[in-house]
């Protein structure tokens, strides 16, 4: 069974629950006038279901597959470079040569020309000592929390701290950024094309942080706004 057929079955089940008419709507085919005699006539496909599958379902499926492929490829790059830091305690089990190679790979990944966020040789020396202080099942956030409580740890293990901070700040998804752009499209449409950047930013903030905005006391906000805009002098 194809993906379209299985999706169609699921859609029919949902339509039965919400009592929606289950029928693909046909659209009137618009013929284009031939400008030259050698032009072929338009092929008319009046199968509404087939049109939906080609021009809607397949387009969305292709976009989703491409998006997932790009995202998983990016996560694979992260994993290839940071995976040895996922369980610092287990670094006791790997050889020093493998540890040095992982440090060099991470240095190259976190470099920009001749600028480096970490130094591989120093990270290697720090991990040789630090790996014996952590349990085998220690997570990166547990390791960083432990370093925060250790006096002078940021001076003794600076490269480990930098590496763990970068690892822990890599976003799992881009949903928040995509949500921001989605809101921006709604706020600044063609009817609001002349809106200033300041107003767009403020409206976008209200729309994105709507849960916080809903808790505000509008009466207090209005009074505060009125007091700042008042031109009366006492």
């Amino acid at each position: 069974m194809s993906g379209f057929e299985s999706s169609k079955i699921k859609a029919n089940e949902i339509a039965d629950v919400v009592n929606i008419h289950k029928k693909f709507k046909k659209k009137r085919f618009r013929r284009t006038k031939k400008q030259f005699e050698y032009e072929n006539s338009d092929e008319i496909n009046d199968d509404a279901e087939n049109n939906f599958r080609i021009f809607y379902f397949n387009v969305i499926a292709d976009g989703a597959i491409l998006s997932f492929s790009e995202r998983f490829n990016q996560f694979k790059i992260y994993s290839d470079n940071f995976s040895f830091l996922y369980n610092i305690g287990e670094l006791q089990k790997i050889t020093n040569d493998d540890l040095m190679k992982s440090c060099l790979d991470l240095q190259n990944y976190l470099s920009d020309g001749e600028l480096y966020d970490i130094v591989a040789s120093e990270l290697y020396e720090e991990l040789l000592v630090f790996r014996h202080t952590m349990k085998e099942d220690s997570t990166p956030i547990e390791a960083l929390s432990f370093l925060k409580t250790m006096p002078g740890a940021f001076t003794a293990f600076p490269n480990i701290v930098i590496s763990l901070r970068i690892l822990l700040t890599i976003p799992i998804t881009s949903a928040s950024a995509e949500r921001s752009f989605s809101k921006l499209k709604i706020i600044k449409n063609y009817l609001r094309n002349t809106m200033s950047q300041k107003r767009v930013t403020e409206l976008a903030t209200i729309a994105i942080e709507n849960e916080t905005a809903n808790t505000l006391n509008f009466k207090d906000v209005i009074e505060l706004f009125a007091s700042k805009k008042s031109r009366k002098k006492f």
Side-chain angles (χ1 to χ4, degrees), residues 56-136:
Y56 185 79
F57 180 83
N58 288 349
V59 172
I60 293 179
D62 290 342
I65 292 172
L66 179 61
S67 178
F68 279 120
S69 298
E70 292 177 350
R71 190 162 298 176
F72 279 109
N73 287 336
Q74 188 177 27
F75 287 154
K76 185 178 184 303
I77 295 174
Y78 293 153
S79 179
D80 291 341
N81 291 281
F82 287 97
S83 59
F84 73 104
L85 294 176
Y86 290 166
N87 293 304
I88 291 182
E90 292 188 354
L91 292 179
Q92 303 176 33
K93 300 179 181 179
I94 69 173
T95 64
N96 292 345
D97 291 339
D98 290 339
L99 180 60
M100 187 63 192
K101 181 180 181 303
S102 298
C103 293
L104 287 170
D105 291 340
L106 185 59
Q107 174 185 286
N108 294 332
Y109 180 68
L110 299 178
S111 64
D112 183 13
E114 297 181 355
L115 301 176
Y116 301 93
D117 290 329
I118 62 169
V119 180
S121 58
E122 295 179 3
L123 177 62
Y124 170 75
E125 296 293 339
E126 293 172 15
L127 287 173
L128 287 179
V129 177
F130 186 69
R131 64 182 178 178
H132 295 288
T133 63
M134 301 300 298
K135 298 179 181 178
E136 291 187 0

Side-chain angles (χ1 to χ4, degrees), residues 170-228:
I170 293 174
I172 301 301
T173 68
S174 59
S176 58
E178 292 171 0
R179 193 181 302 117
S180 300
F181 282 108
S182 178
K183 288 291 185 181
L184 188 60
K185 290 180 181 179
I186 298 173
I187 294 170
K188 191 170 184 179
N189 52 36
Y190 73 98
L191 294 175
R192 297 173 173 172
N193 197 34
T194 58
M195 187 185 300
S196 65
Q197 182 63 42
K198 183 175 182 295
R199 184 175 177 82
V200 171
T201 303
E202 292 171 349
L203 290 176
T205 302
I206 294 174
I208 295 168
E209 303 295 340
N210 59 83
E211 293 183 0
T212 303
N214 290 333
T215 62
L216 296 176
N217 188 328
F218 292 105
K219 184 178 179 180
D220 295 339
V221 174
I222 293 172
E223 290 179 354
L224 179 62
F225 177 80
S227 64
K228 289 186 176 182

